[in-house]
Amino acid sequence: MQTEQTLIDNIRLLGRLLGDVIREQNGKSTYALVERIRLLSVAFRSEQHSSKQAALATQIKRLLRGLTADQAVQVIRAFTFFSHLVNLAEDQHHLHRREVHARQGDVQNGSLAMALSRLAKAKISTKKISSFLSKACISPVLTAHPTEVQRKSILDAQYGVADCLAKRQDLLTRTPSTQQTVALQDNEARIRSLILQLWQTRLLRFSKLTVADEIDNAMAFYEKTFLSEIPKLYQQLEGALGAGRTDFLPPFLRMGQWMGGDRDGNPHVNAQTLSYALKRQSEVALRHYLTEVHYLGGELSLSTMLVRISPAMQALAERSPDVSEHRTDEPYRRALVGIYARLAATLQNLTGGQAARHAIAPQNPYASADEFLGDLRVIHNSLETNKGGSLTEARLAPLIRAVQVFGFHLASVDLRQSSDKHEAVVAELLLHAAVCPNYAGLPEDKKQACLIAQLQDPRLLRVPSAQYSAHAISELAIFDMAKQVRAQFGAAATRHYIISHTESVSDLLEVLLLQKEMGLLCHGHADLIVVPLFETIPDLRQAASIMQAFYALPGILSMVLGAKPHQYHEQDIMLGYSDSNKDGGILTSNWELYQAEVALAALFDRLSPKQPIRLRMFHGRGGTVGRGGGPSYEAILAQPLGTVRGQIRLTEQGEIIGSKYANPDIGRRHLEALVAATLEASLLPPDAAQASAPPQDYVELVEQLSESSFQAYRQLVYATEGFSDYFFTATPIREITELNLGSRPASRKATQTIEDLRAIPWGFSWGQSRVGFPGWYGFGSAVHDYLAAAQSKTARAAALKKLQSMHTDWAFFRTLVSNIDMAVAKSDMTLAEHYAQLVPNKKLRLNIFSALKTEWQKTQEALELLTGHRERLANNPSLARSIAHRFPYIDPLHHLQVDLMQRYRAGGADERVKLGIHLSINGIATGLRNTG
């Protein structure tokens, strides 16, 4: 296909240049070895004849097993870097194709243009859209997790290659000439030098990542993408809505962050990391503003000898301490010098940092971001009213939008801790205050009564002379620091307190009581939104009843609404995708999440006439399908009818952050898709949004499928003897826990049980071994059992037709099937069987792997019946081609990983063996483009 030729050419170019670097750096023999393995892998994947394919597989395995540890490391590095480079070529190709479509007027799904076009056809006015956005909240929340595999230095070099590919594309569109030839040669030389830089850069970290490292790494995405691209997105939307230069949309799109505040299972997060997070974030925001103000000063050289200015602008210039005689007739420059000086003082005051430039000494700092914003608006209004409006578009308007969105805090840092940790602190406080000697042992109703009584009592529980545990002191310090950072950086610095493992009403009340103890419950109103996180299947099932009981308690509504009872208050509720999947499997997890959302929306609809509370779902989505992954645009449109309503938060986790936001253009595309999907899901009529409430017979059918899937999943994972041993042996989970990937431990407790294992490395490990188990297991059995229950051919045909109709008509079910289709496409049971050989117990190995393979085959058959396609990803040809092209280059990494793991586990403690294993983990994750 001609449209794919540019991609093919770029991949060939990158592969050739990588080969040149390998030959130059490691010699002809290493290059020849890599090339031989590559050709054998391509031949294996291309071969259709089973006997010839088996012969090629034997040849590959024999060759790879004969490698020394040093040779294995070099081969792994070669295929890993090739995967990195292919990712860059594909991303750049998608951007190019999107630009081509845009120039041709062919708008794409997930674009603002398409969303607004659909809204216009539905006769939704621009006024209604603007009004809707004034109340909306769309918030991607960056989180750090222990499967993040990319180093910042690698990401920076990769972005350099991507930039070169974009420039190369532009050069190739020009008329051939000597100048073009030279430019292309220079471009190729630059790419080659960047590939050399990558080859000579260490892929892995020597030491384990600290929380501070995670915070610093996250800042790179703000500097490269969010600070510049979010204002552009606002500008694009304002232009499409016909807003004038003075009509700024309110900041409905804001960033959230967990690094520095997420303590659940991470003992390294504390009050100090929260303080560090806000200081670093503030520094990034303020330095961006300083740079923009500096350049504005260079651009706005307007003279009062030639232009008029507003009285407010005149007053702002006169307040500036800039007394340079060279700028006496340049009020904008004088004002901006003063603004810069105040920003420099703000930077010093909030972070201790020094501004890069000093025309004059730092002056009195800004008390708030709103005060800074006010000065910028004075400049903006003066230009607009005095024939200088066009001068605001390039830099001043984007800066104003940035300050509106990012303030002095950059992103709101969520606090998170497990409910049992709060209970322990509350129990200590009550014990030392002689209120309750055994709070933890009370039944739930007694706990609630005790907590309500203490919330209504103005006295504090803390006893100055009491000796509290280190845990209690540390937890209380977090609340105290939250109060401090809100005072320093603004109330938006931290707004949400997430309670992991929420199982009862008392879990919410405990956090309210801890807020009261540390001065965050002023005048009876809670400063932090208490956010329950419902994670397991049982928790999801009782989510609505817990929230109903919570709001029925005396005094709770006033704590939520505070002194503004007629204004809407936000109630965030977080839904856990990964733990519910680990608990009940992909189908049951998705169905229980769906039902929980429906029940919660109905509850708050009943509450809202009397209690003005706006519900906002917070989706804890991961990277893989098994953890809620998949395209965000489709996922939002597949939400139950009436559950979005312009309010949505969702996590962006691990390496997904890098794949989405390391490149500014790709980052803006993803942000645009979030906004477009929220508009469509919230404003379009149900039929147009394909999110109408499903017929009752569909609901009953999915309920039946879910129960069957749940039983199949639970039977294997939790009722099959030895399954845990199989998992810990047939996947690289042991080696993953040794990687220096993140600050958080892979398991909540020091045990080798699936219950205590965090869901992220669970999904990571199954992906590495190419089973992809969390993304599909149980679905095949559910469909098989449903069809098998039919008593005749006619009944079976009717049952199948109903399944197919549900797949066609219901966005929720269609998206679920699409994601399972993707997970199965990325799995490979031949490679999975290779990993199964790591299990020494033959009976256990055959028992578990046979169950996996049987279910995988059932799922393949189910997908074929529902989609009508024998091949996976038939409706996503670009992804299908991408996967087909990648597999030959990932296969050697799998074979080498298994071989090196066998050596390592047999006592081969060679550091090169360990390095090879860890590099292969990076390479496979890169090639599959997801990990945890």
Side-chain angles (χ1 to χ4, degrees):
M1 185 183 293
Q2 184 60 38
T3 57
E4 299 294 319
Q5 190 57 49
T6 301
L7 172 61
I8 294 169
D9 291 343
N10 280 339
I11 291 175
R12 286 174 177 169
L13 170 69
L14 296 172
R16 173 172 60 81
L17 294 177
L18 176 61
D20 291 345
V21 167
I22 293 171
R23 187 189 299 108
E24 174 194 282
Q25 297 293 307
N26 295 82
K28 293 181 179 179
S29 60
T30 299
Y31 170 77
L33 175 63
V34 170
E35 188 65 7
R36 184 182 174 195
I37 294 168
R38 184 186 73 82
L39 291 173
L40 282 172
S41 296
V42 170
F44 170 79
R45 283 287 175 178
S46 303
E47 182 58 61
Q48 301 297 317
H49 198 281
S50 58
S51 61
K52 292 182 180 179
Q53 193 178 55
L56 284 167
T58 301
Q59 192 177 350
I60 292 170
K61 290 178 184 177
R62 186 180 298 120
L63 173 60
L64 295 176
R65 284 174 180 169
L67 300 182
T68 66
D70 280 333
Q71 287 176 317
V73 166
Q74 295 308 327
V75 170
I76 290 169
R77 292 184 76 236
F79 283 98
T80 295
F81 276 119
F82 182 72
S83 293
H84 281 278
L85 295 171
V86 169
N87 288 352
L88 298 176
E90 286 188 347
D91 287 345
Q92 207 56 50
H93 179 70
H94 290 319
L95 285 174
H96 172 65
R97 293 307 306 161
R98 190 180 178 94
E99 290 172 2
V100 169
H101 285 298
R103 285 196 297 268
Q104 295 172 346
D106 181 14
V107 292
Q108 304 289 299
N109 272 339
S111 66
L112 280 176
M114 176 62 84
L116 294 174
S117 173
R118 286 174 175 158
L119 292 171
K121 287 180 181 178
K123 302 189 184 309
I124 308 295
S125 67
T126 56
K127 184 178 180 180
K128 183 175 181 179
I129 296 170
S130 297
S131 176
F132 164 80
L133 290 172
S134 69
K135 303 180 187 70
C137 174
I138 304 170
S139 180
V141 182
L142 305 190
T143 76
H145 276 291
T147 60
E148 213 292 281
V149 294
Q150 304 296 5
R151 293 181 63 213
K152 182 177 180 299
S153 50
I154 296 292
L155 289 172
D156 288 343
Q158 289 176 345
Y159 179 69
V161 174
D163 187 53
C164 285
L165 290 177
K167 292 175 179 176
R168 186 175 190 82
Q169 182 66 46
D170 179 60
L171 287 170
L172 289 170
T173 61
R174 300 180 186 178
T175 303
S177 65
T178 302
Q179 186 178 10
Q180 184 214 35
T181 301
V182 172
L184 285 170
Q185 290 172 345
D186 291 344
N187 180 271
E188 182 174 316
R190 174 59 180 156
I191 295 174
R192 186 184 186 282
S193 70
L194 287 165
I195 292 175
L196 175 60
Q197 178 186 335
L198 283 168
W199 186 255
Q200 295 184 342
T201 298
R202 175 169 43 85
L203 264 171
L204 304 177
R205 304 178 181 96
F206 279 146
S207 57
K208 193 169 183 64
L209 210 64
T210 66
V211 179
D213 292 330
E214 291 173 338
I215 294 166
D216 291 341
N217 286 351
M219 294 303 97
F221 298 102
Y222 287 88
E223 293 166 336
K224 186 166 288 182
T225 298
F226 297 124
L227 281 163
S228 59
E229 299 307 315
I230 288 180
K232 289 179 184 176
L233 192 151
Y234 275 92
Q235 191 171 19
Q236 178 185 353
L237 185 54
E238 287 161 353
L241 293 175
R245 285 192 300 254
T246 59
D247 299 322
F248 291 99
L249 285 172
F252 62 89
L253 175 62
R254 295 176 181 267
M255 297 301 300
Q257 192 110 326
W258 275 14
M259 284 77 100
D262 178 14
R263 311 195 300 294
D264 180 24
N266 193 339
H268 308 296
V269 176
N270 51 39
Q272 287 69 43
T273 61
L274 177 59
S275 174
Y276 180 79
L278 265 304
K279 285 182 179 179
R280 278 291 289 122
Q281 291 179 194
S282 181
E283 180 183 16
V284 168
L286 287 166
R287 290 195 185 281
H288 175 75
Y289 302 155
L290 284 162
T291 299
E292 294 303 295
V293 167
H294 169 74
Y295 285 119
L296 269 174
E299 294 167 4
L300 297 182
S301 54
L302 288 67
S303 169
T304 50
M305 298 173 67
L306 301 170
V307 299
R308 294 177 181 273
I309 62 172
S310 69
M313 182 64 235
Q314 182 65 43
L316 182 62
E318 289 175 356
R319 287 199 301 271
S320 171
D322 180 19
V323 294
S324 170
E325 62 181 22
H326 302 297
R327 290 187 287 273
T328 55
D329 67 327
E330 297 175 344
Y332 292 104
R333 277 186 167 173
R334 285 169 55 207
L336 287 162
V337 168
I339 290 172
Y340 188 97
R342 293 195 68 185
L343 273 180
T346 308
L347 174 69
Q348 190 173 31
N349 182 52
L350 293 180
T351 73
Q354 297 294 322
R357 309 168 183 88
H358 288 292
I360 57 176
Q363 302 297 305
N364 55 312
Y366 283 109
S368 68
D370 284 341
E371 190 179 1
F372 170 44
L373 187 62
D375 285 353
L376 295 178
R377 285 190 176 278
V378 167
I379 297 173
H380 184 275
N381 293 341
S382 179
L383 289 168
E384 286 289 345
T385 55
N386 290 285
K387 301 181 180 180
S390 61
L391 297 174
T392 68
E393 294 178 0
R395 195 178 303 277
L396 180 57
L399 176 57
I400 288 174
R401 290 185 182 92
V403 179
Q404 286 179 316
V405 172
F406 300 105
F408 286 165
H409 66 287
L410 191 71
S412 183
V413 179
D414 291 357
L415 306 179
R416 185 171 78 132
Q417 181 58 289
S418 180
S419 59
D420 60 314
K421 303 297 184 182
H422 303 137
E423 182 183 75
V425 177
V426 169
E428 271 199 65
L429 290 170
L430 294 170
L431 173 65
H432 287 294
V435 172
C436 179
N438 183 23
Y439 168 78
L442 294 176
E444 174 62 18
D445 60 335
K446 299 294 185 184
K447 283 183 177 179
Q448 291 181 27
C450 176
L451 294 168
I452 287 292
Q454 294 307 310
L455 283 167
Q456 293 174 345
D457 190 333
R459 293 174 297 179
L460 298 180
L461 289 168
R462 280 175 297 158
V463 178
S465 60
Q467 295 294 314
Y468 295 101
S469 68
H471 168 69
I473 293 170
S474 176
E475 289 297 308
L476 292 171
I478 281 282
F479 287 88
D480 186 48
M481 183 57 69
K483 183 177 181 180
Q484 292 181 44
V485 297
R486 283 170 62 87
Q488 283 179 285
F489 303 100
T494 180
R495 299 182 61 240
H496 302 90
Y497 196 107
I498 300 162
I499 308 167
S500 298
H501 310 111
T502 299
E503 298 173 348
S504 63
V505 172
S506 61
D507 292 337
L508 284 77
L509 296 175
E510 286 163 1
V511 173
L512 285 174
L513 183 58
L514 292 173
Q515 287 197 59
K516 177 200 165 195
E517 282 297 307
M518 304 310 294
L520 289 164
L521 196 65
C522 300
H523 308 294
H525 171 59
D527 287 344
L528 302 178
I529 301 172
V530 177
V531 184
L533 168 50
F534 300 107
E535 298 172 273
T536 65
I537 301 300
D539 293 345
L540 288 167
R541 288 174 177 170
Q542 62 177 352
S545 61
I546 287 176
M547 297 310 298
Q548 182 174 17
F550 174 67
Y551 276 103
L553 289 170
I556 291 301
L557 189 60
S558 62
M559 289 181 201
V560 170
L561 299 179
K564 300 176 180 179
H566 301 298
Q567 292 188 9
Y568 270 94
H569 174 81
E570 303 150 316
Q571 175 62 68
D572 293 68
I573 295 179
M574 187 169 184
L575 305 173
Y577 286 68
S578 52
D579 280 289
S580 60
N581 180 292
K582 187 161 74 75
D583 192 26
I586 181 73
L587 176 52
T588 301
S589 169
N590 276 266
W591 179 233
E592 294 298 340
L593 286 161
Y594 185 97
Q595 292 190 103
E597 288 189 66
V598 170
L600 286 165
L603 168 65
F604 280 86
D605 281 344
R606 293 196 301 271
L607 292 175
S608 61
K610 297 179 180 179
Q611 305 174 3
I613 304 167
R614 181 179 288 122
L615 173 64
R616 178 164 52 234
M617 301 295 187
F618 185 6
H619 301 271
R621 305 176 77 231
T624 57
V625 168
R627 297 193 54 246
S632 298
Y633 175 78
E634 286 81 359
I636 293 173
L637 289 184
Q639 296 304 306
L641 178 67
T643 60
V644 178
R645 303 181 189 179
Q647 304 291 318
I648 192 165
R649 299 183 91 217
L650 68 167
T651 53
E652 301 280 25
Q653 301 188 2
E655 88 297 333
I656 295 299
I657 298 172
S659 67
K660 284 186 177 180
Y661 300 116
N663 182 303
D665 292 327
I666 293 173
R668 187 168 74 252
R669 186 184 70 185
H670 283 292
L671 292 167
E672 187 178 336
L674 293 179
V675 176
T678 304
L679 286 169
E680 292 183 39
S682 303
L683 293 176
L684 285 180
D687 288 343
Q690 298 184 4
S692 57
Q696 184 59 31
D697 60 334
Y698 284 0
V699 171
E700 292 171 359
L701 175 52
V702 172
E703 185 67 45
Q704 182 181 340
L705 293 172
S706 173
E707 180 58 28
S708 181
S709 175
F710 181 76
Q711 294 301 328
Y713 179 88
R714 296 288 298 188
Q715 176 61 37
L716 179 66
V717 177
Y718 296 103
T720 300
E721 184 178 355
F723 183 82
S724 177
D725 292 335
Y726 180 93
F727 167 68
F728 278 91
T729 309
T731 75
I733 179 62
R734 299 176 186 175
E735 290 73 18
I736 286 168
T737 58
E738 296 174 9
L739 266 174
N740 297 312
L741 292 174
S743 69
R744 184 192 308 274
S747 187
R748 287 185 169 92
K749 299 178 182 177
T751 63
Q752 188 169 301
T753 64
I754 292 170
E755 288 85 352
D756 292 330
L757 185 72
R758 299 192 69 87
I760 303 121
W762 163 261
F764 188 108
S765 303
W766 287 116
Q768 286 280 310
S769 59
R770 292 299 287 282
V771 182
F773 171 85
W776 53 265
Y777 197 91
F779 180 75
S781 284
V783 173
H784 177 271
D785 292 349
Y786 171 68
L787 295 176
Q791 298 298 313
S792 65
K793 287 185 178 180
T794 302
R796 188 182 188 279
L800 177 58
K801 184 177 181 181
K802 187 173 180 180
L803 274 173
Q804 292 170 334
S805 297
M806 186 166 68
H807 175 253
T808 302
D809 299 340
W810 192 6
F812 159 75
F813 191 67
R814 185 170 59 256
T815 301
L816 171 62
V817 171
S818 175
N819 285 335
I820 292 173
D821 187 57
M822 186 193 310
V824 170
K826 288 191 174 185
S827 65
D828 187 311
M829 297 311 286
T830 301
L831 286 170
E833 188 171 15
H834 195 41
Y835 282 86
Q837 300 305 311
L838 292 165
V839 180
N841 186 325
K842 183 177 180 181
K843 183 179 179 181
L844 175 64
R845 177 174 72 241
L846 294 176
N847 183 34
I848 302 296
F849 185 75
S850 175
L852 290 170
K853 192 168 184 179
T854 299
E855 182 65 22
W856 185 83
Q857 188 59 46
K858 286 182 180 179
T859 303
Q860 286 271 31
E861 293 168 0
L863 290 170
E864 183 178 345
L865 289 171
L866 284 169
T867 65
H869 298 292
R870 186 176 182 82
E871 299 298 324
R872 302 282 57 81
L873 296 173
N875 294 321
N876 193 344
S878 62
L879 180 57
R881 283 192 298 271
S882 171
I883 288 175
H885 290 154
R886 288 164 183 275
F887 278 4
Y889 304 100
I890 306 174
D891 289 351
L893 295 173
H894 286 291
H895 289 298
L896 283 169
Q897 185 180 87
V898 172
D899 182 53
L900 293 175
M901 285 165 62
Q902 287 174 328
R903 298 189 207 180
Y904 186 66
R905 293 178 181 181
D910 188 325
E911 284 300 312
R912 300 294 286 175
V913 171
K914 186 176 179 180
L915 174 63
I917 295 170
H918 290 181
L919 285 169
S920 70
I921 291 171
N922 183 294
I924 292 167
T926 300
L928 293 176
R929 302 211 78 170
N930 57 12
T931 51

